[in-house]
Amino acid sequence: MQEFDVVVIGAGPGGYVAAIRAAQLGFKVACVEKASSLGGTCLNVGCIPSKVLLETAHRFHQAKHEFSEHGISVGEVKIDVPTMLGRKANIVGQLTSGIAQLFQANGITRIEGLGKLRANKTVEITAADGKTSTIQAKKGVILAFGSVPVEIPPARTDGKNIVDSTGALAFDRVPEKLGVIGAGVIGLELGSVWQALGSEVVVFEALENFLPMADKQLATEALKIYKKQGLDIKLGAKVQKAENKGQGVEVTVEVAGEKQVYMFDKLLVAVGRKPNTSQDLVEGTAVKIGERGFIEVDEQCRTAEPGVFAIGDCVRGAMLAHKAEEEGVMAAEVIANEHAEVRYDLIPSVIYTAPEVAWVGKTEEELKAAGIAYNKGDFPFAANGRAKAMNTAAGFVKVLTDAQTGEILGSHIIGPCASELLHELVITMNFYGNSEDITLTMHAHPTLAEAVHEAAMAADNRAIHKVNKKR
Ligand code: NAD
């Protein structure tokens, strides 16, 4: 039986990062992946392809609606969907083959096939042709099985007109009317893509609250902006039935006790994801799969089976690529007996729409519920020269600090490049820094980052470019 120090099952962002880190630590590593392309959901049908389409959609929207304000005329603006999809496939291909090169450069053995954990850190592999083999891990196994879209009985996907996120990344033309079930991150991002490209989009959200996990002020501003852009978001909307009628999909929804019927060309079901686990993948071991399919792990991602770790979407916590990556690094380092931890309190959240929405740490509602006295500093992009020049002056930066110590407890941004701007705050919070640390840091002018600077100053009532509120 072939032996390795560390065997990783799954080559998504959690698994491939774990494999690379383990190799850096001097281990002989194998990574088992059933797909022919590395990178998992994120690179193949998730984060990356959706960002490619969001970029195209944003540029199309600008060319169509904003260029004239700059005095630029471009004639008729048209979208060639096959070219857009070709660009997407090209970028995905470059990035996934980049991981294959990284594996090679780090001496990682890539094994194609379905990997199953068996007793004593062995891994059974079933290749595409049905042949099985077994490998042995001497030091540790890292399970990075990932997740799959949740299906709901009233709207089963058919891969044609009723699709999940993978299908909505591959429409061969802009649907005239697109229905979306779920106003979560996928529904908003992909709904925005097709809306910006010309679709009439209706989003049905079962909850009454919009983005309940986000700070309320941020969620309220986001809803206002999305609606202004033309996304028709219906809250408290319960989808009862979705039927593929050949030419389109008939969707029956109950909103505030009233039955409504809609016809769409395409329907996207984006009601969450679930762990890609089953008992068969861990049979004969002590690894425990909980009720909702998550593998049970401790703070350092150890399962109940000695030497076996589980990371990413198949374990508790946010289903985010960057959380999976950090857990992958941690698991590899724990196997190497190094000190390692993940700052679970500082996982950045981003919705990559235009404008972007990004946050980290506590919301105002959480601070209130915990009885923590806080100061709030906010600053609108409308008062930021760079945002004005970019014609993206909607939104704000909000910083929440401990009223006693000034430590930044929460950061919330909606506006241009929010995902990038957030990281100045994430770093400060990672070092338990306070708003003064940002206040005393010189920020180049004119930049969007000045809005972060001003928000930090506003927390101490000393913003320069806005009138501070009396406390
Ligand atoms: P989600 O959990 O973010 O949102 C699903 C939404 O659907 C919720 O608001 C829920 O209330 C609603 N819903 C559930 N059942 C419904 C029903 N029957 N009718 C109407 N609404 C219903 O899930 P998602 O958007 O599918 O994303 C899946 C996962 O992928 C999430 O964990 C998300 O964090 C992750 N993801 C992250 C990003 C990002 O970070 N930018 C992008 C895409 C996906």
Side-chain angles (χ1 to χ4, degrees), residues 39 46 67 79 110 116 128 195 283 327 401-402 404 440 444 464:
F67 276 15
I79 181 73
R110 170 185 172 179
K116 296 176 184 175
Q195 191 266 330
E283 202 59 66
E327 288 183 333
T401 61
D402 186 301
Q404 303 294 320
L440 298 178
I464 301 291

Side-chain angles (χ1 to χ4, degrees), residues 278-298:
S278 65
Q279 195 52 42
D280 174 46
L281 292 174
V282 295
E283 202 59 66
T285 74
V287 170
K288 204 158 168 237
I289 298 178
E291 249 175 57
R292 289 167 54 228
F294 291 101
I295 295 176
E296 293 184 3
V297 290
D298 69 7

Side-chain angles (χ1 to χ4, degrees), residues 51 152 181-187 189 204-207 237 239 270-273 319-320 350-352:
K51 260 78 272 172
I152 50 170
I181 308 182
V185 188
I186 293 181
E189 289 186 356
F204 302 107
E205 168 57 52
L207 299 176
V239 175
V271 294
R273 297 180 64 86
M319 287 184 162
L320 296 171
V350 180
I351 308 174
Y352 295 88

Side-chain angles (χ1 to χ4, degrees), residues 154-171:
R156 295 249 174 246
T157 53
D158 60 15
K160 291 186 197 110
N161 289 354
I162 306 177
V163 298
D164 60 17
S165 51
T166 303
L169 287 167
F171 292 148

Side-chain angles (χ1 to χ4, degrees), residues 289-345:
I289 298 178
E291 249 175 57
R292 289 167 54 228
F294 291 101
I295 295 176
E296 293 184 3
V297 290
D298 69 7
E299 275 282 291
Q300 286 188 308
C301 291
R302 285 183 198 85
T303 68
E305 176 80 5
V308 176
F309 295 72
I311 61 167
D313 284 10
C314 69
V315 302
R316 82 280 177 272
M319 287 184 162
L320 296 171
H322 41 282
K323 176 257 195 187
E325 292 180 19
E326 294 301 319
E327 288 183 333
V329 169
M330 174 171 69
E333 292 181 350
V334 172
I335 293 171
N337 289 321
E338 293 203 352
H339 171 80
E341 63 175 306
V342 169
R343 283 290 302 268
Y344 285 107
D345 56 333

Side-chain angles (χ1 to χ4, degrees), residues 114 458 463:
L114 177 73

